[in-house]
Amino acid sequence: MSPFTGSAAPTPHWEHLRVEREDGVATVTLARPEKLNALTFGAYADLRDLLAKLSRERSVRALVLAGEGRGFCSGGDVDEIIGATLALDTAQLLDFNRMTGQVVRAVRECPFPVIAALHGVAAGAGAVLALAADFRVADPTTRFAFLFTRVGLSGGDMGAAYLLPRVVGLGHATRLLMLGDTVHAPEAERIGLISELTEPGEADRTARALARRLADGPALAHAQTKALLTAELDMPLAAAVELDAATQALLMNGEDYAEFHAAFTAKRPPKWRGR
């Protein structure tokens, strides 16, 4: 059990995050704008615990991850994390680094799509959080920087060396993780790091509209598609198509599949239930 704790659970209030819900869409905002939403031990733990809680509840069908103020997230707080970790022993450091990885796993493994709404800086751990999302909706001010080597650490932090090559290719990932250079929105879009580039100041609105579209759709189909995208990253083709076949057989027994046929026959929109 990780010794790093966030807000007491169960709780309606998350100390390090602002959480809003509306008809199947959750919006989670990193709310420390005076520090460019720099992450603390408690913020990591809250993200880990909140995603687990929402996954268990099964009431959320899409989630927007946003940052308040001038940027999305500047990474780990220099004083409250980098300074504090200098006083930890190896076992404590392993606990901490495992916890940060648990946050990324929670983003990848939760049964609903996660949309990162990006503006300004997404640096260090903030860049990896955005990378872990299913969609990255960004305005032109967005800039990514995987800064880990700049502080004397491995660029493969929090699963970055696993995820980034699969998003942008090994060549770009090597450059970004090894050098820690800043990547501005036009280049990020060109190499596939951004899913959608919006007009200035429109990332939050566009991300919420995408979340609404996803939440109004067939939630179980979205959940299984996300699960397959993650699971099949390292599978041989034979295993992948077998998993696809088993998943489709399961969904073909579902209510949404039958509802599509009924709606098509009746010439009306489907009423998806996520079952």
Side-chain angles (χ1 to χ4, degrees):
M1 180 66 67
S2 171
F4 295 98
T5 57
S7 300
T11 177
H13 171 72
W14 297 88
E15 181 180 348
H16 307 93
L17 312 166
R18 188 169 67 250
V19 182
E20 304 163 273
R21 304 197 201 196
E22 183 180 354
D23 192 21
V25 174
T27 301
V28 178
T29 304
L30 306 174
R32 206 176 173 221
E34 72 282 1
K35 292 289 189 77
L36 273 174
N37 301 316
L39 298 168
T40 63
F41 293 130
Y44 277 118
D46 266 3
L47 278 170
R48 174 200 62 193
D49 296 345
L50 172 63
L51 287 165
K53 182 175 186 291
L54 295 178
S55 296
R56 289 191 301 269
E57 288 179 0
R58 299 284 177 167
S59 60
V60 170
R61 300 190 297 277
L63 184 145
V64 175
L65 181 60
E68 183 179 331
R70 296 180 294 117
F72 174 68
C73 176
S74 59
D77 188 285
V78 173
D79 295 320
E80 295 192 38
I81 286 189
I82 297 178
T85 52
L86 295 174
L88 301 182
D89 63 27
T90 301
Q92 292 170 319
L93 291 169
L94 184 57
D95 280 334
F96 166 65
N97 283 286
R98 282 174 171 163
M99 178 183 66
T100 65
Q102 288 165 359
V103 175
V104 170
R105 284 189 60 186
V107 174
R108 291 303 316 143
E109 295 174 3
C110 62
F112 41 78
V114 176
I115 304 105
L118 305 172
H119 69 287
V121 66
V128 185
L129 281 179
L131 175 65
D134 300 290
F135 300 88
R136 284 163 295 283
V137 176
D139 86 357
T141 67
T142 301
R143 55 195 187 277
F144 297 87
F146 296 87
L147 296 173
F148 305 108
T149 61
R150 297 289 187 94
V151 301
L153 297 176
S154 164
D157 194 60
M158 296 171 62
Y162 178 89
L163 291 171
L164 192 58
R166 289 162 169 79
V167 173
V168 303
L170 180 60
H172 289 306
T174 300
R175 173 173 59 93
L176 298 185
L177 295 182
M178 195 82 73
L179 299 178
D181 289 344
T182 298
V183 180
H184 294 273
E187 182 188 2
E189 182 185 33
R190 178 177 63 81
I191 66 176
L193 189 51
I194 287 175
S195 307
E196 182 175 354
L197 186 61
T198 74
E199 295 297 318
E202 289 293 300
D204 280 3
R205 185 190 65 78
T206 303
R208 289 171 190 261
L210 176 56
R212 179 77 273 146
R213 175 183 172 185
L214 290 163
D216 288 343
L220 185 57
H222 292 156
Q224 292 305 116
T225 301
K226 176 172 180 172
L228 292 179
L229 285 167
T230 298
E232 293 181 16
L233 285 173
D234 300 310
M235 280 187 184
L237 178 59
V241 296
E242 180 61 23
L243 183 58
D244 286 351
T247 302
Q248 293 296 52
L250 175 69
L251 292 177
M252 285 174 176
N253 268 319
E255 293 181 21
D256 280 351
Y257 187 62
E259 166 61 13
F260 166 76
H261 185 263
F264 182 84
T265 302
K267 295 182 173 54
R268 60 171 175 80
K271 298 176 183 177
W272 304 115
R273 300 187 64 190
R275 297 179 183 176

